[in-house]
Each structure stands twice: as C-alpha cells, then as structure tokens.
Amino acid sequence: MALIDDRQNEPAAQRIDCDIHPSVPNCAALFPHLDDHWREMSIVRGIDDLHSANYPDNTPLTVRPDWKPAHGRAATSAEAIAGQCLDPSGSTLAICNCLFGIQTLYSEDLAGAYAKALNDWVRTEFLDKDARLRASIIVSLDSVEMAVEEIHRCAADRRFVQVLLLVATAQPLGKRHFWPIYEAAVRYDLPIGIHAGSEFRNPPTPMGWPSYYLEDYVVNAQSFQSQLTSLFCEGVFNKFPTLMVVMLESGWTWLPAHLWRMTKYWHGLRMEIPWADRSPAEVVKDQIRFSLQPIDGPGDVDQMRRLMDHIGTDDLLVYSSDYPHNQFAGADVFHETFTRDEIRKLTRDTPLATYPRLRSASS
Amino acid sequence: MTVVLTSAARQEAQPVISGVADCDIHPSVKSMADLHPWLSSKWIEHFKSYGSLRNQHYVTGAAYHKSQPNASRRDAYPPEGGPQASSLAFMKQQLLDSHGIALGILNPLVPSQGVRNLDHSAALCRAINHWQVECWTSKEARLRASIVVPYEDPEASAAEIRFWAGNASFVQVLMLSRTSFPTGNKRYWPIYDAAAEAGLPVGIHAFGNSGLPITSAGWPSYYMEDMVAHAQSSQAGLVSLVIEGVFERWPALKFVLIESGFSWAPSLIWRLDRNWRTLRSEVPHLKMSPGEYIRRNVWWTSQPIDEPENATHVSDIFDWLGWDRIMFSTDYPHWDFDDPARVLAFRTSAEKRQQFFRGNAHHVYGVAA
C-alpha cells in the first residue's frame, strides 16, 4: 500500500519521511556498543530489555498488522525498513526516531551509556546500511551536561539530523536548565524533535494514572499542548530565534484551539512574560512543525478544509508514515484533503526547510 | 469613509436575547466566619488552629499567583466592603440587572472540596451548601445553587447529594476538574450514582488541586501556563469519563464542563474515535464510539470564549459540537469575565442565540423558562 497516492506526485519527486521507528530487539543487540563495565552490569543484573511501556509490543497501535513479523519485533533491521516502508512508499530520505526506553533510566550514568550505545547501534545498523536513512540523536535529560556531550559527539556525523526528546518529561521543556541542549542544537543545525511518549517521571494526566492504554496514548496530545505552552512562555523561541522544534506523532488538529487559548491568555497575562513579543501563532509559524501522522481529523473533507483554514497556513506539516506504528486510518481523508501543492510541500519543501542537514544530503 | 474594524468594534451589537442564563457565577464568603452558623465548634476551632490542609504549598491563596487579587475584576469590590462577589446586593446590580440575567448558576469555589482531611472537607461542603440557600438563593429568585461535594470521599459526597436532593435551590452537583484520580475512575462512581438518582447534572469546574502537576511534564513556571493548562486537564478528565464507561453506565446523566474551554472538543473527539477504533479490544465495555457518548452526555459552558482573528472559526466549533451543547457563562466576578453583549463575535440566527444564551441551560438544569 502506498503511503501517499503516487498520482499526486511527479515520479522523480523527493519524498522525505520524517518519523520512522527502528526497534531494538533487546539489550544484547546494543552490547557491542557498550563499554565493558556497562555490558557486564547488564549481564550480571539481568538488564535484558528497555522496551518502553509507551508502545507495548502487542497493542494494535504499535505495529500495523501486515508489518508484524512472525517472531520478534518489527523494524529491527535496515532491510525490514527498506522492504516495508521506503521501497513501497518511494521515500528518498527517512528519519529514524528510535523509541527504546533509555530516557526512563534513573541513573544518569546508565542512561548516558545506553544513549551512546543506542546512537552507535543506529549508526552501524541503519545509517551505514541504507543511504536513504538519517537519524535523531537520542539523549537522556536527567543530565543536561551529558546530553550536550552526546549531541556534540554525534553531531560530527551529519547523518544525525535532529535531537530527540519525549513529550512527557520530568520538567516542562521550556525550563532554563534545558537551554544548553537548545544552544547545542542550534549550533549544530539540529532541530529538536519531541515525540509522543513519557519519561514516566510524572503521571500522564493532572489527575494521575488512567486505567487504560487507550487513555495513555490519547493524552499525549495534551502533553504536546502543554510543552508548546512552556516553550512559548519561558521564551525559548525568543532566546533561540533560529531553533526549530518538530512535534512528532503529536496530532495537530488540536493546534488552532490551543493557539486561540494561548493567545487569549497572552493578551491578558503577558505582563508575566514580557519577553514573549511575538504572538503564539507567529512563533509556531516561524519555529514549530508537526509530523503528518496521526491525522486526528474529521471524516468529512469539507470539515477538514475548514480545519486547515483554522490553521491558516500549509507550511507547518512534514510528511511522516510513523512506520511501523498503525496510524493509517486517516489516509483517505488526507488524499482527498490536500492539494498537489500541499503534498509537495509537506513531502519535500517543508522537511528540507526544517532540517538543514537534509539539504546537504539532497543536493 | 472606510472603517477598519478592530476586534472590539467587530464585536458590536448583536441584540442579546432577554432572560439570559449565566451558568458560572462565583459567590464569595466575606470571610470563612460566614460559614460558622453551619459548622460545629469542633470544626471552627480546628480551622483556627490548622486551617484547611490542601494539596499545595501556601496556607492561603492559589499555587500560582493570579494576575490580580482573587483573580477578580477590580471593579467588582462591593461598595460596602468585602471581597468581590461577596455582596448579593452588588451582584444583583453589577451582574444580574446590568446584563439582563434571569437565571444564574452559583458555583462556589470557597476552599472545601479537595481538603485533605476528609471529615473537614465534608463539614465545609455541608456548611457552604446551607450558606448558598440561606444567603443567596432564598433571597434572590434568579439564582440557583450547586451541591458542593467533598469529592475525595465519594460516599460522603453521595450522602451530601441525597441530603439536598429534591431541594429546588440546587440544580447541579459540583466537582472540580483536578481530582486526585482521573475523573472517570471507579472510586468516584458513588457520586455519579447519587447524581443520577437525584436527576441532577454533574458540573465539573476547571481548577482544584490534586497535588499532581498540571502537566504530564511537571510544574510549569507561570500563571499563564496554569490557566492555559486547565484546557488540557479538562480534556484528560473527559477522556477518563468516556473511556472508563461512566456514560455507558449512566446514559441519562448529564455532565457540564465549566470554564474548561470547548474549542478543543472536536479535535479531541476525532482523536478519541480514531484511537478507539484501533484499540477498542481493550475497552469492550464501550458499546458506542467515544464521540457518540460525548455528544449524548456532555455540555460545555462558554467562558472563556476563544477569540480567533477570524471570528467565524469559533462559529465552526459551535456548528461541529452542536448549538444545543454550549451554554453561556460570565465567570463573574473573575477577571476574564465574558459579557453577553460581546461574547459572540460573529453573526448568527436568533434561534441559535436563544439556545446558547437561554434554552440549553433551562434544558440541562431543568429550570422552567
């Protein structure tokens, strides 16, 4: 199944998939990239797997049924990604956002060692094996200093095109102690990607822990809304006017209502945040992008066009398949909703404008 | 002459219908001593020594400092003194008479719900309910009250609902949005059961304090973030109510989301329905889609109304949710008050205005027009 209707695109067009998910089969796969101490600790202590409860293996959302292998996890090799995602969709570039749960480790040293191993594993097993693949640098936020070091270490390889964070963090992402990460990102031409999922440092809702995974997953959208508020209010975009933030698997149909509310309270309360001299909508237009999947939209095309009118610009979306997650229910609406120009923008122009390091690769 | 309409001028003059219903008014005590007639000496002494223990850091006031005292209009101090909205005479003059309000729903936010000492919480709620009747509804026929319940003690809450059930002063059960467990959690079901039995809607007003951070990423820095986040918090509460099966268990029970915003609802419904289709094997107790339950069981109050540059965008939200779903509210005396003459910044039919300003509230609260 093509991810985007080929009739909508000229044959030679570039198609950039901004959110795909290679899976780590288990910790042993990373052992070649861990130093002796942490490898030994992993074996002695039985640290077998850090698969995150954000995407349990067998929920119908985690892997599209036709992409589920008979044994083990989907998307554990460059061959699987090529065969199931890149080749059928004709993607010429794709950004690997690995969601192995290293952000949840409480020990800074253990998290740092596994982040490093994970980035090296992605480089060896994916970037070195398929020239179409790019990747995000995975960091743990428990030590900002170590996160900055890891960005510095990986950024030398320009196939790393982004820094990846999870949306539900220990503290709101606008807080100043995270700013060295944004400083490093700007310095190395790396957008900050924020992906659905939790570090499990706070409950998913302000009322605590829900009973169902369905709730856990749905409320990711509210987490993104709050992070947008935090980044805006704290002045991250004023301090770093060239920083790009990409919200990944965030949904985006919530954006107009959220901007209306933020703008209303910005009008009433901006005395509290005098540095916020651009409106929330201007900041989003200049510095925030959203991955296409999931499209939490209406089933009705006219309503969808009205919603696009509420958003007011077609420059905010970057194409994503979210492979191998099961996110394609809205694809038909997508085909009918977006014009040829819009599809060209979101599959090529906007990703290239958003990710400086993709521009060098594509020339 | 060409006139460029500013957003204020654009909201000119649509005739407000007569007999407006205001679904969110916050009466205040002059001091906690106002409640003494209905508190035992035990609780009066307890309060003097220990105050009321809440899930937050300061003895008085809110976790985030508001933009002005009591988060209320500076012109709302009664001439005879006391905090804003503590004088019925001045409320009549400034709110009910000036804005043509014929039905006003009281939602007292006097510290009581969410007090950690559950017996103290229950005693305060009982006193506040007496105070609403004695000092407000019995003296002003346009006002109706909400049964304030100590929601972290669901059994005591159910008892409070049964105590007042049948009293025509009360048209709603009041909870706050930030409960200590998700709003649909089974621990709260005795409240919903008692409300259904009494035939009263459950109003869930934004705010309260569960003690948990208002975002899934911890505590934000600013009051503005806290204010914006009540929309996210209310969304999570609605997700819990629908997914836990509250609307399946009590099909006729009405829920009113008060001061939570409503423009977010269409997108949330699309997201819920989409993910329910994928993950419905986890929630076989749901017999309909989340959107179908929400459209059957949930209403919203309008304040704070969103004000996009293109005002017709809000009109779309009304169309998508249904004009029978959104009820006008002022939030008097709070600073982000909505004026009925300016709240709808787009043209719409007399019939829809009638629903929004009046009809929906009379239907939901069962008050004869």
Side-chain angles (χ1 to χ4, degrees), chain A residues 169 171-172 175 206-207 211 213-214 218 222-223 225 234 253 261 264-265 272 296 306 309-310 327, chain B residues 181-182 210 212 216-218 221 223-225 227-228 232 235 244 267 271 274 282 305 307 313 316 336:
Chain A
T169 44
Q171 284 196 294
K175 287 273 189 182
M207 292 80 70
S211 305
Y213 176 69
L214 170 55
V218 166
Q222 286 66 53
S223 303
Q225 291 161 33
E234 299 273 3
T253 61
R261 186 173 175 97
K264 173 151 181 153
Y265 284 112
E272 203 185 9
D296 297 320
R306 283 300 292 163
D309 187 51
H310 292 188
Q327 296 280 16
Chain B
F181 289 79
S210 60
L212 300 166
S216 61
S221 303
Y223 174 50
M224 173 176 163
E225 295 179 86
M227 286 300 279
V228 170
Q232 284 71 56
Q235 289 174 70
E244 290 273 4
S267 169
R271 182 173 174 87
R274 188 169 184 284
E282 191 193 19
I305 193 85
E307 301 170 86
H313 289 165
D316 288 338
D336 43 354

Side-chain angles (χ1 to χ4, degrees), chain A residues 59-61 167-173 175-176 198 201-215 217-223 225-227 229-234 249-255 257-258 260-273 275 280 293-299 302-304 306-307 309-311 326-331, chain B residues 64-68 177-183 185-186 210-241 243-244 259-261 263-268 270-272 274-283 285-286 290 303-310 312-314 316-317 320 335-336 338:
Chain A
T59 84
L61 183 75
V167 70
T169 44
Q171 284 196 294
L173 283 171
K175 287 273 189 182
R176 282 174 209 167
S198 178
R201 297 294 196 263
N202 292 294
T205 88
M207 292 80 70
W209 299 88
S211 305
Y212 300 99
Y213 176 69
L214 170 55
E215 297 174 79
Y217 187 75
V218 166
V219 300
N220 273 299
Q222 286 66 53
S223 303
Q225 291 161 33
S226 292
Q227 292 288 19
T229 311
S230 170
L231 292 165
F232 173 82
C233 288
E234 299 273 3
E249 206 181 318
S250 56
W252 44 268
T253 61
W254 49 260
L255 182 66
H258 188 59
W260 300 340
R261 186 173 175 97
M262 278 181 72
T263 304
K264 173 151 181 153
Y265 284 112
W266 176 63
H267 284 155
L269 299 171
R270 58 187 294 187
M271 64 185 185
E272 203 185 9
I273 50 167
W275 46 82
Q293 294 290 354
I295 305 173
D296 297 320
D302 290 338
Q303 224 175 343
M304 195 69 183
R306 283 300 292 163
L307 184 72
D309 187 51
H310 292 188
I311 292 173
N326 187 5
Q327 296 280 16
F328 291 88
Chain B
Y64 290 88
H65 293 106
K66 311 280 187 182
S67 54
Q68 44 208 331
S177 60
R178 287 177 67 192
T179 41
S180 289
F181 289 79
T183 326
N185 189 286
K186 284 196 166 68
S210 60
L212 300 166
I214 194 160
T215 87
S216 61
W219 298 96
S221 303
Y222 303 106
Y223 174 50
M224 173 176 163
E225 295 179 86
D226 189 55
M227 286 300 279
V228 170
H230 288 298
Q232 284 71 56
S233 172
S234 297
Q235 289 174 70
L238 178 55
V239 168
S240 173
L241 283 169
I243 300 303
E244 290 273 4
E259 205 179 334
S260 64
S263 300
W264 45 258
S267 169
L268 182 70
W270 297 327
R271 182 173 174 87
L272 271 167
R274 188 169 184 284
N275 285 290
W276 169 73
R277 283 195 293 274
T278 305
L279 296 168
R280 59 190 296 181
S281 59
E282 191 193 19
V283 288
H285 54 278
L286 297 184
Q303 183 280 339
I305 193 85
D306 284 321
E307 301 170 86
E309 245 170 71
N310 179 345
T312 65
H313 289 165
V314 174
D316 288 338
I317 304 292
W320 296 346
W335 68 273
D336 43 354
D338 277 344

